[in-house]
Amino acid sequence: MHITFPEWFDDLAEFEAENKGCLLDFPLCINGQNFVFTFYDLCRLNQTRADESDSVGFLKNEAVVVLQAVNRANITRFVQAFFQIE
């Protein structure tokens, strides 16, 4: 299994994502294939859902993944489980 995170996703970016509770349109290269996910923690997802559903009546986003905390370790665990990679 090979997961490539974007070059810009350094320790500071990870810290900011975990504190914000989201990574929007986050690119990952998994075993040579490119994917884009949006990662939220549950608290931030609820805030976003409330804000967007008030204005348009729904939350529209593709490939939303809810994590306990938005960080590299949880993203890696998600990829391993979702793609059943060991």
Side-chain angles (χ1 to χ4, degrees):
M1 166 206 48
H2 186 69
I3 303 170
T4 304
F5 287 82
E7 287 183 20
W8 58 263
F9 192 65
D10 57 12
D11 290 342
L12 178 59
E14 181 179 9
F15 175 80
E16 291 173 348
E18 190 164 358
N19 283 288
K20 284 176 41 178
C22 66
L23 272 172
L24 306 178
D25 301 322
F26 187 69
L28 287 173
C29 183
I30 303 165
N31 290 337
Q33 291 186 303
N34 294 317
F35 297 89
V36 178
F37 297 98
T38 293
F39 296 100
Y40 284 103
D41 67 22
L42 190 55
C43 182
R44 181 60 186 262
L45 178 62
N46 285 331
Q47 292 170 348
T48 300
R49 183 195 52 79
D51 291 345
E52 289 190 16
S53 65
D54 285 347
S55 63
V56 295
F58 57 88
L59 172 64
K60 180 182 180 270
N61 201 320
E62 295 180 19
V64 172
V65 178
V66 180
L67 302 172
Q68 185 175 23
V70 180
N71 58 42
R72 187 180 301 266
N74 287 338
I75 292 170
T76 300
R77 279 194 283 280
F78 156 73
V79 169
Q80 290 171 334
F82 187 76
F83 291 91
Q84 299 180 352
I85 299 170
E86 296 182 20

